[in-house]
C-alpha cells in the first residue's frame, strides 16, 4: 500500500461490485449518492466505489461497507425519470477505505491506493504453468456456460500475462457480488489467481450437476410422454369396447388389496370378489353391487390400530380440564388406562352413562376419546327401530349397505376407536326386528370379536372398541342388554357445581362465540346463583348455557350501541338482561302447621319438594285423593290409611272417627302428574297430624315408601331430593335407614348443614315429625 492517502467522494453500491479495468454503468437514486457523483464531476471526475455488506441498509456507515473498493473515473452521467441517475464509470485501481465521513451532503472517503505489485512472476516455467492451467479451466467453463462467446474465449486465450488474464476473466464472468468482492480483496496476483481458480472450478461443478439433472428430467419427461400416448391409445380402444375405466379400477383394487393390513382369508375373499367383478364388465347392475362391496371391504380397518395414550397424568389433566365433576366416569376411565398400561391387552369396557339430560354424558365421551388418544365415532340410536340399522342389509337387496357399527369402524379408520352409542334407551322395535336384541352381540365382550354384519358377511373384530352408551332412563332398556353394560350414574349437578361449570366452561365459551373480550363481561357470583335458581330448573346445564348466551348477546349490543368498555352484571341489574324470574322455589313454611307435611320428589330435571295437605271433614268415611296422582301414589295413600287405622288407638283416634269423617289428601300443582311410592310416609304423617291435631315441624322434609305394617322402605333419587330439601331451607330430612350407604357416598357439600335422620318404621317418623 502506498503512503498517499486521498479524500474523494464515495458511492455505496448495493448488490454489485466494480473491479479495476471494468467499464460498466449503474443507477443511483439515494440523494447522498447523487450528490457524490455531482461533487466528483466538479473535481477530477474520480469517485470511490465501495460495496455495502447488506444491500437493504439505507444509510450505510463505515462498518456497513467492505474495506476494499475501487477508485473509478466517471465517463458519463445521464438523468432518468423517477429521480434516477445513470452513471458510466471505468474502474482504475484498488484502494483501501481508511475513514468514511457520513455527516455531509454526500459520503467522503479517505482512501489509500495499493501500489502495483512488484513481486511479478519471474520464473518463466511457473508463469507458463499458471497460464496453461487457467486457460484449461476457463475453456471448460466456457464450454458449459453458453454466455461466453467464442470471440471472448479467443481474446482471453491469447493473453500471455497472468495478472491481465486473471483480471479479464474476473471482469467478463457473471458472479454474485460477494464472490467479485473476494476477487477485489485479493490484492496479490498469486492470491487472486488462486481465488479465481477455486471460483471457476466450483462454477464448472455446479453447471455439470445442473446439466446432469436437466438430462435426467428430460429423459423422464420423454418416458412419461411415451407412456401417456400409449395410455391414450388404450383408452380409445377400451372406449370403443365399452371397457373404459373398469380395468384401471380393477388394477387400483388389486393395489389396495396388496397394501391392505388384513388377515389372509379377508384378502383372499377380496381377490375373489375382484375376479367376479372383472367377469361382470358387461352387466352394469351386477358390477355396481360388486364394486360397492369391494370398496366397503377395502375401507374397513381389519388390522389397523391407533396407539393408545399410556400417560395417566396427561389423560387425567385432559378429563379435568374439560369437565367439572363426573368423578365416577373419570375414575373408571383411569382404571381402564392403568390396567391397559400394565397388561398391554384386555377387553375394553362397555360403559353406560345414565342420568338426566344436559349433565355432560355425550361430551364426556368426546373428552375420554381425546384423553385416551382414540378416534371418536358417535352413533345416535334415538328413534332407530330396524335391526338392519345395526347389522346391515343382505346384499341381495337393492341399495343394501352395512350397519351403523361397521360404518362407524370405516369412518374411524382403526379397529380400536371409542364408539358412543347415544340415547340407547330411545331405540325401539317393530315388525322389522328388535334393535336392542341386535345390540346384544355388539355389546357382549365374549362374542363381539367375531361380529357378523349381514352386508360384509365376514367376521369383524369389535373386542378392542371402547363402547360408551348414554341413557336418560334405564327402565326402557331390556334386561339382557342392561346386563351387558357397566352402569355409571351421572346424577344432577349441585348449585355449586353449576356455578363452577358456568364460570370455567360455559361463560368463556359463550363469550368467545359472541365476540366478547375476556374482561368485557363480568358476572358476579350472586348473579350467577340467581340465574341458576331463578331462571333455570334442570338437572344439567343446557338452559343455563342458553341464559348465558342471552346475556352475551345483550352485552354485545351494549358494547356496540352504547360504547361501553365493560359490562358488570350483579343481582340488581340481572332483570335488565333476562327479564323477571321464571321459577320460584317453595321455601320452608315459617310456622308448624296441622296436616301439612313437606315431601321430596325426583323429577327428570332434578329434585323438588311437594307440600302434601290433608283436611278432615264431617262425612261418611270417604277417602279423596286429588292433584293428578298416579296409581302407585294412590296405592301408597291407601296403604298409609290402612296402617293408621291399625294403630289408631295408640294415637288416641277412636274407631268411629273413620266412619264419621271424610279424609281428603291434596298435592298442589294439580296440572303436574305425580307418581311413585316415595311419598308414602309423607302422606301417612300428614293424615296422623290432621287426625290428632298435632303440628308437624315446618323445617322438616321426608321421603320413604310405607308398608302395611308401618315399615319404611328405601327409595331412589336421594341426591336430587336432598339438594331440593337444602334449597328449600329444610334443616332436617327423614331418610329410610336402608339408604344409609347412599348418603355415606355423597359429597360433604350435599349433606352439609342438613340433619339426616335414618328411620326404619312409621313410629320413628312420627316421633321426629310431630311436635
Amino acid at each position: 500500500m502506498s503512503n498517499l492517502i486521498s479524500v474523494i467522494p464515495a458511492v455505496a453500491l448495493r448488490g454489485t461490485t466494480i473491479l479495476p479495468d471494468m467499464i460498466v454503468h449503474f443507477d443511483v437514486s439515494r440523494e447522498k449518492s447523487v450528490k457524490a457523483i455531482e461533487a466528483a464531476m466538479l473535481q477530477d471526475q474520480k469517485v470511490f466505489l465501495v460495496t455495502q455488506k447488506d444491500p437493504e441498509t439505507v444509510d450505510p456507515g463505515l462498518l456497513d461497507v467492505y474495506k476494499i473498493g475501487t477508485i473509478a473515473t466517471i465517463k458519463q452521467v445521464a438523468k432518468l425519470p423517477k429521480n434516477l441517475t445513470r452513471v458510466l464509470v471505468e474502474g482504475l485501481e484498488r484502494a483501501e477505505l481508511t475513514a468514511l465521513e457520513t455527516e455531509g451532503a454526500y459520503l467522503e472517503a479517505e482512501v489509500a491506493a495499493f501500489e502495483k505489485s512488484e513481486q511479478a512472476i519471474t520464473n518463466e516455467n511457473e508463469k507458463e504453468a499458471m497460464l496453461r492451467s487457467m486457460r484449461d479451466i476457463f475453456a471448460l467453463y466456457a464450454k458449459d456456460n453458453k454466455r461466453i462467446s467464442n470471440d471472448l474465449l479467443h481474446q482471453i486465450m491469447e493473453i500471455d500475462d497472468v495478472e491481465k488474464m486473471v483480471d479479464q476473466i474476473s471482469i467478463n464472468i457473471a458472479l454474485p457480488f460477494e464472490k467479485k468482492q473476494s476477487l477485489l480483496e485479493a490484492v496479490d496476483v498469486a492470491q487472486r489467481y488462486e481465488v479465481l481458480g477455486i471460483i471457476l472450478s466450483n462454477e464448472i461443478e455446479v453447471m455439470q450437476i445442473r446439466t446432469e439433472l436437466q438430462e435426467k428430467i428430460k429423459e423422464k419427461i420423454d418416458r412419461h410422454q411415451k407412456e401417456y400416448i400409449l395410455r391414450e391409445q388404450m383408452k380409445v380402444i377400451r372406449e370403443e369396447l365399452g371397457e373404459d375405466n373398469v380395468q384401471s379400477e380393477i388394477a387400483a383394487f388389486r393395489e389396495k388389496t396388496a397394501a391392505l393390513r388384513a388377515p389372509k382369508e379377508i384378502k383372499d375373499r377380496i381377490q375373489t370378489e375382484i375376479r367376479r367383478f372383472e367377469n361382470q364388465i358387461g352387466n352394469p347392475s351386477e358390477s355396481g353391487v360388486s364394486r360397492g362391496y369391494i370398496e366397503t371391504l377395502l375401507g374397513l380397518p381389519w388390522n389397523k390400530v391407533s396407539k393408545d395414550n399410556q400417560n395417566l397424568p396427561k389423560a387425567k389433566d385432559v378429563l379435568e380440564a374439560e369437565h367439572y365433576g363426573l368423578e365416577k366416569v373419570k375414575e373408571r376411565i383411569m382404571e381402564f388406562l392403568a390396567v391397559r398400561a400394565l397388561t398391554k391387552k384386555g377387553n375394553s369396557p362397555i360403559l353406560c352413562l345414565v342420568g338426566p339430560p344436559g349433565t355432560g354424558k355425550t361430551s364426556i365421551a368426546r373428552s375420554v376419546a381425546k384423553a385416551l388418544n382414540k378416534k371418536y365415532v358417535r352413533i345416535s340410536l334415538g328413534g332407530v327401530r330396524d335391526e338392519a340399522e345395526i347389522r346391515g342389509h343382505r346384499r341381495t337387496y337393492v341399495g343394501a349397505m352395512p350397519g351403523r357399527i361397521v360404518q362407524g369402524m370405516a369412518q374411524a379408520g382403526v379397529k380400536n376407536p371409542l364408539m358412543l352409542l347415544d340415547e340407547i334407551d330411545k331405540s325401539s322395535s317393530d315388525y322389522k326386528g328388535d334393535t336392542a336384541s341386535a345390540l346384544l352381540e355388539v355389546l357382549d365382550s365374549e362374542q363381539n370379536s367375531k361380529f357378523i354384519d349381514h352386508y360384509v358377511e365376514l367376521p369383524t373384530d369389535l373386542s378392542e372398541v371402547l363402547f360408551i352408551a348414554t341413557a336418560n332412563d334405564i327402565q326402557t332398556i331390556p334386561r339382557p342388554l342392561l346386563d351387558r353394560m357397566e352402569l355409571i350414574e351421572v346424577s344432577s349437578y349441585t348449585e355449586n357445581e353449576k356455578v363452577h361449570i358456568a364460570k370455567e366452561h360455559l361463560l368463556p365459551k359463550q363469550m368467545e362465540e359472541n365476540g366478547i373480550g375476556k374482561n368485557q363481561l363480568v358476572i358476579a357470583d350472586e348473579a350467577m346463583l340467581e340465574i341458576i335458581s331463578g331462571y333455570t330448573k334442570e338437572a344439567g346445564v343446557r338452559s343455563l348455557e342458553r341464559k348465558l348466551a342471552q346475556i352475551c348477546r345483550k352485552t354485545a349490543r351494549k358494547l356496540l350501541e352504547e360504547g361501553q368498555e365493560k359490562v358488570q352484571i350483579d343481582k340488581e341489574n340481572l332483570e335488565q338482561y333476562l327479564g323477571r324470574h321464571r321459577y320460584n322455589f317453595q321455601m320452608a313454611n315459617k310456622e308448624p302447621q296441622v296436616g301439612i307435611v313437606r315431601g321430596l320428589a325426583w323429577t327428570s330435571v332434578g329434585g323438588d319438594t311437594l307440600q302434601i295437605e290433608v283436611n278432615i271433614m264431617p262425612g261418611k268415611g270417604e277417602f279423596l285423593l286429588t292433584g293428578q296422582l298416579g296409581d302407585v301414589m294412590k296405592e301408597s295413600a291407601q296403604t298409609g290409611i290402612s296402617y293408621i287405622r291399625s294403630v289408631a288407638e295408640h294415637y288416641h283416634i277412636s274407631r268411629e272417627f273413620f266412619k264419621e269423617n271424610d279424609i281428603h289428601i291434596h298435592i298442589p300443582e294439580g296440572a303436574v302428574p305425580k307418581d311413585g311410592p316415595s311419598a308414602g310416609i309423607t302422606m301417612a304423617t300428614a293424615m296422623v297430624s290432621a287426625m290428632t291435631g298435632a303440628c308437624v315441624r315446618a323445617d322438616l322434609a321426608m321421603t320413604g315408601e310405607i308398608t302395611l305394617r308401618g315399615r319404611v322402605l328405601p327409595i331412589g333419587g336421594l341426591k336430587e331430593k336432598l339438594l331440593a330439601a337444602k334449597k328449600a331451607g329444610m334443616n332436617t330430612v327423614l331418610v329410610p335407614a336402608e339408604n344409609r350407604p347412599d348418603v355415606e357416598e355423597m359429597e360433604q357439600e350435599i349433606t352439609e348443614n342438613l340433619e339426616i335422620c335414618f328411620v326404619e318404621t312409621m313410629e320413628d317418623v312420627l316421633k321426629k315429625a310431630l311436635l
Side-chain angles (χ1 to χ4, degrees):
M1 191 192 298
S2 71
N3 295 327
L4 182 63
I5 294 176
S6 55
V7 177
I8 58 174
V11 174
L13 301 174
R14 291 195 277 198
T16 185
T17 299
I18 292 170
L19 302 171
D21 299 330
M22 197 172 179
I23 298 172
V24 68
H25 64 73
F26 57 87
D27 296 340
V28 292
S29 59
R30 283 187 289 199
E31 193 178 345
K32 281 192 174 184
S33 300
V34 174
K35 296 276 187 190
I37 297 295
E38 290 172 355
M41 292 299 288
L42 294 173
Q43 296 171 19
D44 56 357
Q45 297 183 352
K46 283 188 179 176
V47 66
F48 181 65
L49 304 174
V50 64
T51 305
Q52 288 181 202
K53 293 176 182 175
D54 182 5
E56 300 300 321
T57 306
V58 177
D59 192 11
L62 183 62
L63 297 176
D64 297 319
V65 295
Y66 289 103
K67 296 290 287 179
I68 308 295
T70 304
I71 297 171
T73 304
I74 299 170
K75 295 285 188 183
Q76 188 180 355
V77 177
K79 294 285 184 182
L80 298 177
K82 297 183 180 178
N83 296 324
L84 285 177
T85 302
R86 182 159 289 175
V87 187
L88 182 68
V89 296
E90 180 183 2
L92 297 178
E93 59 183 329
R94 288 172 174 77
E96 183 178 5
L97 178 65
T98 56
L100 185 65
E101 177 58 49
T102 59
E103 297 300 324
Y106 56 87
L107 297 177
E108 276 191 305
E110 188 179 280
V111 298
F114 289 99
E115 294 177 355
K116 289 285 182 185
S117 175
E118 292 179 4
Q119 294 180 352
I121 299 162
T122 53
N123 188 325
E124 287 299 320
N125 290 339
E126 187 183 349
K127 179 181 174 183
E128 186 62 29
M130 289 174 78
L131 283 168
R132 285 186 187 180
S133 176
M134 186 54 70
R135 282 173 188 149
D136 290 346
I137 293 171
F138 188 68
L140 271 174
Y141 177 82
K143 181 184 172 186
D144 290 329
N145 193 330
K146 304 301 179 190
R147 293 181 184 178
I148 305 295
S149 66
N150 289 331
D151 292 343
L152 177 62
L153 181 62
H154 290 141
Q155 283 177 21
I156 286 171
M157 291 300 178
E158 288 171 4
I159 297 172
D160 56 1
D161 180 67
V162 174
E163 185 173 5
K164 191 176 179 184
M165 179 181 277
V166 169
D167 288 347
Q168 284 302 309
I169 292 173
S170 302
I171 290 166
N172 286 291
I173 61 174
L175 291 172
F177 77 91
E178 294 93 346
K179 289 186 178 179
K180 282 203 174 184
Q181 184 66 34
S182 65
L183 287 166
L184 183 65
E185 290 177 358
V187 179
D188 183 56
V189 177
Q191 186 187 354
R192 207 179 314 154
Y193 177 90
E194 188 179 335
V195 171
L196 180 63
I198 292 167
I199 289 171
L200 285 177
S201 299
N202 287 342
E203 288 293 316
I204 290 164
E205 192 174 344
V206 168
M207 286 189 291
Q208 284 174 346
I209 292 167
R210 191 177 70 180
T211 305
E212 285 173 14
L213 286 172
Q214 285 175 340
E215 284 175 0
K216 284 179 182 175
I217 291 166
K218 187 174 181 298
E219 187 182 328
K220 279 186 180 178
I221 289 170
D222 290 345
R223 190 172 72 249
H224 289 156
Q225 194 74 14
K226 183 181 175 184
E227 287 175 2
Y228 173 75
I229 291 164
L230 290 171
R231 280 200 192 96
E232 286 299 308
Q233 289 174 345
M234 286 171 69
K235 187 178 174 184
V236 172
I237 294 165
R238 284 205 186 108
E239 281 176 1
E240 290 297 319
L241 295 171
E243 302 174 8
D244 48 347
N245 293 321
V246 177
Q247 291 299 328
S248 56
E249 264 189 310
I250 290 166
F253 285 155
R254 288 202 166 114
E255 279 179 29
K256 286 180 182 177
T257 306
L260 188 68
R261 283 193 280 177
K264 186 176 181 299
E265 58 270 21
I266 302 293
K267 287 191 173 187
D268 291 346
R269 177 65 179 271
I270 296 172
Q271 291 289 6
T272 305
E273 288 297 326
I274 291 171
R275 285 193 293 274
R276 185 180 295 164
F277 175 57
E278 199 169 8
N279 295 330
Q280 292 169 343
I281 287 172
N283 189 339
S285 60
E286 289 293 327
S287 63
V289 173
S290 290
R291 182 189 287 108
Y293 183 57
I294 293 164
E295 286 171 351
T296 301
L297 294 184
L298 290 172
L300 287 175
W302 299 102
N303 281 347
K304 191 178 176 185
V305 293
S306 61
K307 190 178 179 184
D308 285 358
N309 175 25
Q310 303 287 345
N311 188 337
L312 269 71
K314 185 183 173 185
K316 189 176 182 183
D317 290 344
V318 171
L319 293 172
E320 293 292 349
E322 297 192 359
H323 284 81
Y324 185 86
L326 302 173
E327 296 303 329
K328 287 183 182 176
V329 186
K330 293 175 184 175
E331 190 179 338
R332 184 63 186 88
I333 295 302
M334 295 308 294
E335 287 169 3
F336 161 67
L337 251 183
V339 171
R340 179 60 64 92
L342 289 173
T343 61
K344 310 293 181 190
K345 58 181 180 180
N347 291 336
S348 297
I350 296 165
L351 309 177
C352 182
L353 310 181
V354 183
T359 48
K361 299 183 295 298
T362 303
S363 59
I364 188 76
R366 196 180 296 109
S367 296
V368 168
K370 187 176 173 184
L372 301 182
N373 195 27
K374 282 182 176 289
K375 297 282 185 182
Y376 171 76
V377 180
R378 177 177 170 270
I379 296 172
S380 179
L381 296 175
V384 173
R385 55 186 184 182
D386 186 355
E387 178 215 8
E389 292 279 351
I390 306 299
R391 277 219 183 94
H393 307 83
R394 298 197 183 277
R395 281 195 293 147
T396 50
Y397 295 112
V398 176
M401 57 195 295
R404 293 196 184 192
I405 303 294
V406 169
Q407 284 180 31
M409 296 287 282
Q411 181 189 334
V414 290
K415 64 183 284 192
N416 61 336
L418 183 147
M419 201 169 280
L420 175 69
L421 303 176
D422 213 4
E423 311 291 0
I424 198 168
D425 58 328
K426 310 293 189 304
S427 64
S428 57
S429 59
D430 65 1
Y431 66 93
K432 293 179 183 175
D434 185 1
T435 313
S437 300
L439 284 169
L440 291 176
E441 184 186 357
V442 175
L443 299 181
D444 191 334
S445 54
E446 298 298 322
Q447 299 177 42
N448 65 6
S449 59
K450 301 283 184 187
F451 172 70
I452 302 282
D453 184 275
H454 288 160
Y455 181 84
V456 175
E457 295 176 346
L458 290 167
T460 309
D461 185 6
L462 302 180
S463 62
E464 293 185 47
V465 179
L466 172 54
F467 285 104
I468 296 183
T470 69
N472 298 129
D473 184 11
I474 58 171
Q475 304 300 323
T476 57
I477 303 174
R479 291 301 307 172
L481 183 58
L482 202 59
D483 185 54
R484 282 162 166 77
M485 299 186 288
E486 186 178 334
L487 291 184
I488 297 178
E489 193 176 339
V490 180
S491 53
S492 308
Y493 289 122
T494 64
E495 274 195 1
N496 185 36
E497 284 174 333
K498 286 184 181 180
V499 169
H500 278 287
I501 292 165
K503 289 175 73 176
E504 293 170 21
H505 300 284
L506 304 183
L507 186 59
K509 176 187 168 187
Q510 287 302 326
M511 285 171 69
E512 186 181 345
E513 285 183 6
N514 289 281
I516 297 169
K518 192 175 180 183
N519 299 317
Q520 288 181 306
L521 173 62
V522 177
I523 300 178
D525 288 352
E526 283 185 357
M528 191 67 82
L529 280 167
E530 194 72 19
I531 296 167
I532 291 164
S533 60
Y535 294 90
T536 66
K537 190 176 184 181
E538 56 177 348
V541 289
R542 282 206 183 107
S543 293
L544 176 58
E545 186 171 9
R546 282 192 283 270
K547 293 298 173 189
L548 293 176
Q550 187 179 337
I551 289 172
C552 288
R553 290 194 299 274
K554 291 190 186 298
T555 301
R557 278 192 68 186
K558 280 187 178 289
L559 294 174
L560 289 174
E561 292 178 359
E562 299 176 18
Q564 292 187 19
E565 290 184 4
K566 184 177 181 180
V567 173
Q568 183 92 25
I569 293 175
D570 50 34
K571 203 171 177 180
E572 284 68 37
N573 66 354
L574 184 61
E575 279 195 11
Q576 297 174 23
Y577 295 86
L578 296 178
R580 293 192 176 279
H581 281 203
R582 294 278 310 278
Y583 304 102
N584 291 312
F585 208 82
Q586 192 176 13
M587 299 303 289
N589 296 332
K590 292 180 180 177
E591 294 178 358
Q593 294 183 32
V594 174
I596 294 179
V597 184
R598 192 65 68 94
L600 300 173
W602 179 93
T603 70
S604 60
V605 292
D608 204 353
T609 62
L610 291 177
Q611 187 156 286
I612 294 175
E613 301 175 351
V614 176
N615 259 0
I616 305 293
M617 304 156 290
K620 300 176 182 178
E622 287 185 11
F623 188 56
L624 299 173
L625 292 164
T626 56
Q628 205 172 340
L629 311 185
D631 291 341
V632 177
M633 205 163 188
K634 287 177 180 176
E635 287 171 5
S636 290
Q638 294 284 357
T639 306
I641 193 71
S642 297
Y643 165 73
I644 293 165
R645 291 178 71 170
S646 69
V647 294
E649 291 181 6
H650 182 73
Y651 293 100
H652 310 294
I653 302 168
S654 68
R655 291 185 180 181
E656 304 302 320
F657 181 91
F658 298 99
K659 293 178 183 177
E660 297 169 357
N661 294 285
D662 291 344
I663 300 168
H664 186 169
I665 298 178
H666 177 69
I667 301 177
E669 294 185 37
V672 180
K674 308 163 191 76
D675 205 357
S678 63
I681 65 169
T682 317
M683 290 188 286
T685 305
M687 285 188 282
V688 171
S689 169
M691 290 172 192
T692 60
C695 292
V696 181
R697 283 176 57 185
D699 64 341
L700 178 139
M702 60 182 74
T703 181
E705 182 180 346
I706 187 173
T707 69
L708 206 55
R709 296 299 180 92
R711 287 186 300 119
V712 180
L713 301 184
I715 43 79
L718 191 58
K719 179 183 175 183
E720 286 80 3
K721 290 177 180 178
L722 290 180
L723 286 171
K726 194 171 183 180
K727 195 173 178 183
M730 298 295 170
N731 295 325
T732 307
V733 181
L734 304 186
V735 174
E738 289 182 46
N739 283 109
R740 187 186 293 270
D742 300 327
V743 175
E744 288 171 353
E745 273 186 12
M746 289 178 192
E747 300 92 341
Q748 189 183 351
E749 181 195 334
I750 297 167
T751 56
E752 195 176 22
N753 300 328
L754 271 184
E755 183 192 352
I756 296 173
C757 300
F758 296 103
V759 290
E760 292 183 355
T761 63
M762 269 306 296
E763 197 175 339
D764 299 339
V765 174
L766 295 170
K767 278 180 185 175
K768 298 277 185 185
L770 298 180
L771 293 173

